[in-house]
Amino acid sequence: DGKGAHWADATKTQVRKGYSKWIFHLNEDGILPDEDEICPADRVLEERLRSYLKRLQDQGLSSQTIASRITDLSEALRVMAPKSDISLLKQLAITTQQRAEPSRKKHARIKQPSEIWNASYHYMDSIIQSDNKLTINIASRFRDAMTLGLLAHRPLRRRNISNLTLGKDLLFVRGAWHCHISREETKDGSDIRFALPDDLAFTTVFTHYLLVVRQRLLRGAPLDRDAIPHLTGPLWISTRGRQMTDHAIYYSVNRISEDLLGSPINPHLLRDCAASAMSSEAPE
């Protein structure tokens, strides 16, 4: 029932690691052993924060990473000592965030979702039209392009896209695919509901993935269209015939996007691509 109880596991881990770096710093400076009984927020003094910033800078960390370290520390103390005055730390977090410079030129890698989808579709269509045998390697490449194409339409977070399960999150109802991700599985605690695109191009390659490509990865025979409403199990299958992890999804999307578009586009950047497209094409 604490102030951080609603945090996702990844957020808890990040803040916990961020706080541990502060504890390490205090310990290295010989401060912690003499103050292990006081409130954690009372250890935050201006000279100590200056010393901590210098240590982070001496480690060669980027300004963005340093800002994240300070924000993690601020969040940890906010939930650990909610009645304490940490205004100095909060102001430092704001200042470092404002001064932080992106370490990567992300804007140069932003592409239109339509461009991403077209590249994915044409690659998958070329495999469908080819007379070559569908090997495990070709099947995995088709799967990666399908993942990229789906994210171009519906830019889910990496964890949610990797956990999509037929018969659970994805249901075939009245001739169309519908997705429902429960609030227990989302970062902000809200349900996600949407329908998959119903245009001919998308349904053609998605159906081919389900009935032929996915079956190949599962070491099974192709299925008839009648099997579609009854499909179950993980949507994304690895070359070993198992559910893909979110890390595997990350690297496969990076790899196929670099091959098809000339530069890697990770799942999170695809969300930026969508936001950029909406802000330019439909600002209202």
Side-chain angles (χ1 to χ4, degrees):
D1 61 349
K3 289 184 176 296
H6 65 286
W7 285 350
D9 290 341
T11 302
K12 294 176 184 176
T13 299
Q14 178 177 326
V15 173
R16 185 161 57 239
K17 286 183 177 179
Y19 183 70
S20 73
K21 296 178 188 300
W22 166 250
I23 293 298
F24 170 82
H25 168 71
L26 295 180
N27 195 54
E28 287 291 292
D29 277 10
I31 295 171
L32 190 60
D34 297 329
E35 297 186 356
D36 58 346
E37 298 292 333
I38 71 172
C39 175
D42 292 340
R43 302 190 188 114
V44 181
L45 303 175
E46 182 174 345
E47 62 270 20
R48 294 177 183 178
L49 288 174
R50 291 184 182 279
S51 175
Y52 183 44
L53 278 175
K54 185 178 184 305
R55 182 184 296 277
L56 296 177
Q57 291 167 348
D58 290 345
Q59 291 175 354
L61 300 178
S62 69
S63 58
Q64 195 76 52
T65 300
I66 291 175
S68 295
R69 295 279 186 270
I70 300 301
T71 299
D72 291 339
L73 174 59
S74 177
E75 284 298 283
L77 292 175
R78 181 179 68 83
V79 301
M80 291 167 59
K83 295 182 179 180
S84 299
D85 181 11
I86 57 170
S87 55
L88 178 66
L89 182 57
K90 287 182 177 180
Q91 184 56 49
L92 178 60
I94 293 173
T95 301
T96 54
Q97 287 288 356
Q98 290 176 338
R99 294 179 178 177
E101 297 181 1
S103 57
R104 301 171 183 171
K105 295 180 179 179
K106 183 169 65 174
H107 67 277
R109 295 187 291 145
I110 295 289
K111 295 185 181 295
Q112 286 291 322
S114 58
E115 179 185 356
I116 299 170
W117 162 245
N118 287 334
S120 303
Y121 169 72
H122 289 303
Y123 178 76
M124 289 184 283
D125 186 56
S126 69
I127 293 177
I128 294 175
Q129 301 301 328
S130 173
D131 294 329
N132 295 332
K133 180 182 178 181
L134 184 65
T135 63
I136 291 294
N137 181 57
I138 294 176
S140 68
R141 299 275 294 173
F142 189 104
R143 175 206 63 211
D144 296 344
M146 188 72 255
T147 310
L148 179 64
L150 178 55
L151 285 171
H153 284 290
R154 306 289 185 266
L156 293 168
R157 287 188 169 88
R158 180 173 64 177
R159 184 181 66 177
N160 293 134
I161 191 72
S162 63
N163 287 335
L164 287 179
T165 303
L166 296 165
K168 176 178 171 284
D169 308 303
L170 283 172
L171 297 173
F172 192 70
V173 181
R174 298 190 183 120
W177 284 101
H178 296 269
C179 180
H180 173 215
I181 302 174
S182 66
R183 65 186 63 186
E184 291 78 17
E185 300 178 26
T186 62
K187 184 175 182 179
D188 62 359
S190 301
D191 283 359
I192 297 177
R193 295 177 182 271
F194 59 84
L196 267 59
D198 58 0
D199 61 278
L200 181 60
F202 185 90
T203 56
T204 297
V205 294
F206 189 64
T207 300
H208 186 77
Y209 171 73
L210 294 176
L211 300 181
V212 180
V213 177
R214 183 172 177 270
Q215 282 297 107
R216 181 69 182 93
L217 293 169
L218 288 169
R219 276 58 170 186
L223 300 173
D224 295 328
R225 293 185 66 90
D226 294 341
I228 288 180
H230 311 291
L231 292 173
T232 59
L235 177 61
W236 310 116
I237 305 298
S238 71
T239 55
R240 296 184 179 183
R242 303 171 185 170
Q243 178 177 2
M244 292 184 70
T245 65
D246 59 345
H247 292 292
I249 291 284
Y250 179 89
Y251 288 112
S252 66
V253 169
N254 267 281
R255 181 182 56 195
I256 195 68
S257 59
E258 183 170 17
D259 290 346
L260 300 182
L261 295 157
S263 60
I265 305 177
N266 60 57
H268 189 80
L269 186 60
L270 283 159
R271 296 169 61 80
D272 291 322
C273 292
S276 178
M278 285 190 289
S279 65
S280 61
E281 296 178 14
E284 71 282 0

